[in-house]
C-alpha cells in the first residue's frame, strides 16, 4: 500500500503547531521539568561511582546513598567556603553603603550639570522605575523560593532515577522494535558520555577560571578577591552571557571601594586576558571537544533556554542540544539537522556539488570559478 503524501503547507502547519504546544508545555511545566532535568544530569554523573561501589559487593541502595552523600559533602564544603566569604563581606556592608551613596550623589550632580536634569527629577524617575519593577521583584522572590524547593527535590529525584535505572532503560529499549536495539544502545551510550564529559569539562574549566580570577583580583588589590573570583567562575558556566556579569561584579566593587578608575581598567584587562585563555585554550581542549555544537546555535539555544526557563534554561541548553544532535545523527531522515547543529563547516554546499554532477561546466564557467 502506497503511503499518502501530504502537501508541504499541511506538514509545515502540523510541525509549527507541535512546536507551539511543546513551547507552551515547557514554559508552564518549568517548575516540574527543571529539577527533573538537573536530577538526570546528576544521576548520570554519579552513575559510574554507584557502579564502582556495586562492584565492591555493596548493595545497590547503599551504593546510591554513599555516592550521594559524597556529592553532598563536596557541595556543602563549597557552600561553606562561599558563606564564610559572604559573612566577611556582610560585615563591611555599612561602609560600602556609605561609599555607594557618595558615588550616587556624584553621579546625580554629573547628570544635572551635563544633561540639565534636576536631582529631584532624577529621584522621581528612579522611584518610578522601582515601582514598575515590583512585579519583577515578586517574580525574583518566587524564583528564589522555587530554587529552595528544587534543592530539596533534587536528592529525591536523583535517588529514584539511580534506583530505577534498569527499569527506565528497559522501557527505552522495549518502546522501540528489537531490530533497533543496537541503534538505541548507541544513542544512550553516546548521550551518557556527552553529558558526563561536558559536565566534568565544565567543572574543570570553572576551577581553573576561579583560580585565575582570584589571583588577578588579589594582585590588583580588590576586596573579597576570592569570593568575586569564584562567583565569576560560576557565572562563567552560563555560556556567553555569564561572563559579562562576572566582569561587572568586581568592576562595581572596585568602583565602590577605590578611588579613580585604574583598578577598573586593570580588572577589565585581566578578565579580557582570562576570557581569551578560557575561550581559546580551556574551552576547546576541555569542554567544546566533548560537545560539538557550532557557535551560532550555541548562542541561539542559550538565549532560547533563558527565555523558556531563565538561568537554569541557559545552563541546561547546551547538554540538551548535544543530546538532540546525537539522536539526529543516528536517524537518516534527521541527519541534515544534525549536521546543521554541528561545527563541521563544508568547503562547498550540496547545491554546487549536485549541479556539477548534472552538467559539465563550460570553459567560461571554469574561468569564472
Amino acid at each position: 500500500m502506497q503511503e499518502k503524501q501530504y502537501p508541504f503547507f499541511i506538514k509545515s502547519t502540523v510541525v509549527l503547531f507541535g512546536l507551539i504546544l511543546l513551547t507552551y508545555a515547557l514554559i508552564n511545566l518549568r517548575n516540574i521539568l527543571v529539577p527533573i532535568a538537573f536530577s538526570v544530569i546528576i544521576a548520570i554523573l554519579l552513575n559510574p561511582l554507584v557502579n564502582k561501589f556495586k562492584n565492591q559487593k555493596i548493595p545497590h541502595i547503599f551504593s546510591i546513598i554513599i555516592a550521594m552523600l559524597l556529592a553532598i559533602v563536596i557541595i556543602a564544603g563549597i557552600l561553606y567556603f562561599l558563606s564564610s566569604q559572604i559573612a566577611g563581606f556582610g560585615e563591611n556592608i555599612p561602609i560600602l553603603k556609605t561609599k555607594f551613596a557618595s558615588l550616587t550623589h556624584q553621579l546625580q550632580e554629573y547628570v544635572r550639570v551635563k544633561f540639565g536634569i534636576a536631582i529631584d527629577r532624577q529621584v522621581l524617575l528612579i522611584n518610578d522605575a522601582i515601582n514598575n519593577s515590583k512585579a519583577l521583584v515578586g517574580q525574583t522572590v518566587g524564583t528564589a523560593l522555587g530554587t529552595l524547593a528544587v534543592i530539596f527535590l533534587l536528592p529525591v529525584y536523583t535517588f529514584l532515577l539511580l534506583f530505577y535505572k534498569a527499569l527506565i532503560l528497559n522501557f527505552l529499549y522495549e518502546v522501540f522494535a528489537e531490530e533497533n536495539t543496537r541503534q538505541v544502545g548507541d544513542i544512550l551510550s553516546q548521550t551518557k558520555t556527552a553529558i558526563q564529559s561536558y559536565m566534568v569539562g565544565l567543572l574543570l574549566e570553572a576551577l581553573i577560571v576561579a583560580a585565575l580570577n582570584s589571583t588577578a583580583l588579589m594582585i590588583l588589590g580588590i576586596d573579597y578577591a576570592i569570593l568575586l573570583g569564584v562567583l565569576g567562575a560560576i557565572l562563567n558556566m552560563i555560556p556567553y552571557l555569564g561572563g559579562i556579569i562576572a566582569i561587572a561584579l568586581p568592576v562595581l566593587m572596585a568602583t565602590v571601594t577605590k578611588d579613580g578608575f585604574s583598578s577598573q581598567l586593570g580588572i577589565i584587562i585581566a578578565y579580557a586576558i582570562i576570557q581569551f585563555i578560557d575561550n581559546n585554550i580551556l574551552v576547546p581542549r576541555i569542554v567544546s571537544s566533548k560537545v560539538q555544537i557550532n557557535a551560532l546555535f550555541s548562542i541561539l539555544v542559550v538565549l532560547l533556554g533563558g527565555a523558556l526557563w531563565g538561568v537554569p534554561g541557559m545552563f541546561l541548553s547546551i547538554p540538551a542540544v548535544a543530546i538532540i544532535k546525537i539522536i539526529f545523527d543516528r536517524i537518516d531522515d534527521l541527519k541534515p539537522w544534525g549536521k546543521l547543529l554541528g561545527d563541521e563547516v563544508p568547503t562547498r554546499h550540496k547545491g554546487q556539488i549536485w549541479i556539477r554532477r548534472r552538467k559539465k561546466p563550460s570553459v567560461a564557467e571554469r574561468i569564472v570559478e
Side-chain angles (χ1 to χ4, degrees):
M1 183 176 178
Q2 187 176 4
E3 185 179 354
K4 185 177 180 180
Q5 295 294 328
Y6 292 97
F8 172 76
F9 71 90
I10 294 180
K11 293 181 179 179
S12 59
T13 302
V14 171
V15 170
L16 181 60
F17 185 68
L19 290 175
I20 293 172
L21 286 178
L22 177 62
T23 303
Y24 179 81
L26 289 175
I27 292 174
N28 286 275
L29 298 177
R30 58 176 296 176
N31 292 332
I32 299 174
L33 296 178
V34 167
I36 292 177
F38 277 109
S39 299
V40 170
I41 293 176
I42 296 172
I44 292 175
L45 287 175
L46 292 179
N47 185 59
L49 192 59
V50 173
N51 291 335
K52 186 174 182 180
F53 289 139
K54 288 175 64 178
N55 293 334
Q56 301 294 327
K57 306 302 181 181
I58 299 176
H60 183 52
I61 293 179
F62 291 107
S63 298
I64 297 173
I65 294 173
I66 294 171
M68 291 184 62
L69 286 176
L70 288 175
I72 291 173
V73 167
I74 294 173
I75 294 173
I78 296 173
L79 292 178
Y80 175 77
F81 169 76
L82 291 177
S83 62
S84 63
Q85 295 288 314
I86 293 172
F89 175 77
E91 295 175 356
N92 293 320
I93 284 180
I95 300 174
L96 296 176
K97 287 175 64 177
T98 302
K99 291 184 178 181
F100 186 76
S102 176
L103 288 172
T104 302
H105 179 70
Q106 294 177 13
L107 180 60
Q108 288 176 337
E109 286 292 334
Y110 174 80
V111 172
R112 183 184 65 82
V113 174
K114 191 72 175 178
F115 300 100
I117 303 175
I119 293 179
D120 294 340
R121 177 64 177 168
Q122 296 179 39
V123 173
L124 182 61
L125 292 173
I126 293 173
N127 289 334
D128 289 340
I130 292 174
N131 292 331
N132 292 331
S133 63
K134 284 184 178 179
L136 179 62
V137 173
Q139 183 180 359
T140 303
V141 173
T143 303
L145 295 176
T147 302
L148 291 176
V150 167
I151 291 174
F152 288 107
L153 286 174
L154 280 179
V156 177
Y157 286 150
T158 303
F159 176 85
L160 293 176
L161 286 169
L162 289 170
F163 183 76
Y164 292 115
K165 181 186 73 172
L167 181 66
I168 296 171
L169 291 177
N170 281 343
F171 166 77
L172 293 175
Y173 278 108
E174 292 176 3
V175 79
F176 297 99
E178 187 175 350
E179 57 266 20
N180 296 320
T181 299
R182 183 184 295 275
Q183 193 174 14
V184 174
D186 289 342
I187 291 174
L188 293 175
S189 176
Q190 293 195 20
T191 298
K192 180 190 69 173
T193 302
I195 293 177
Q196 288 176 343
S197 59
Y198 175 74
M199 294 304 302
V200 170
L202 204 62
L203 293 174
L204 289 174
E205 179 205 6
L207 183 63
I208 297 172
V209 170
L212 293 175
N213 288 346
S214 302
T215 302
L217 293 177
M218 284 190 289
I219 292 174
L220 293 170
I222 305 300
D223 295 340
Y224 312 106
I226 297 177
L227 174 63
L228 293 173
V230 173
L231 288 178
I234 295 173
L235 289 168
N236 193 55
M237 295 173 71
I238 302 174
Y240 302 103
L241 302 179
I244 299 174
I245 305 175
I247 296 176
L249 290 177
V251 168
L252 180 62
M253 177 62 69
T255 303
V256 174
T257 58
K258 292 184 174 293
D259 298 326
F261 298 97
S262 59
S263 297
Q264 292 90 325
L265 181 61
I267 292 170
I268 293 173
I269 294 173
Y271 270 59
I273 295 173
I274 293 172
Q275 286 293 321
F276 177 82
I277 295 172
D278 183 35
N279 294 331
N280 295 278
I281 298 176
L282 299 180
V283 171
R285 296 187 179 183
I286 298 177
V287 182
S288 289
S289 59
K290 312 297 182 184
V291 181
Q292 303 289 347
I293 307 296
N294 64 64
L296 173 62
F297 280 94
S298 295
I299 296 173
L300 288 177
V301 298
V302 167
L303 295 176
L304 289 174
L308 288 174
W309 289 352
V311 174
M314 293 181 178
F315 183 80
L316 292 167
S317 58
I318 299 296
V321 174
I323 295 171
I324 292 172
K325 184 181 184 302
I326 291 170
I327 296 173
F328 285 174
D329 288 340
R330 294 296 175 276
I331 301 175
D332 291 337
D333 292 339
L334 298 177
K335 282 184 178 180
W337 294 96
K339 292 179 181 178
L340 182 64
L341 295 174
D343 63 349
E344 293 184 7
V345 181
T347 56
R348 292 184 300 171
H349 60 77
K350 290 291 186 180
Q352 293 175 327
I353 299 174
W354 290 345
I355 290 174
R356 193 177 290 272
R357 287 178 184 173
R358 292 184 178 182
K359 67 173 185 177
K360 187 176 181 181
S362 63
V363 176
E365 288 176 336
R366 292 177 182 174
I367 295 174
V368 171
E369 290 178 358

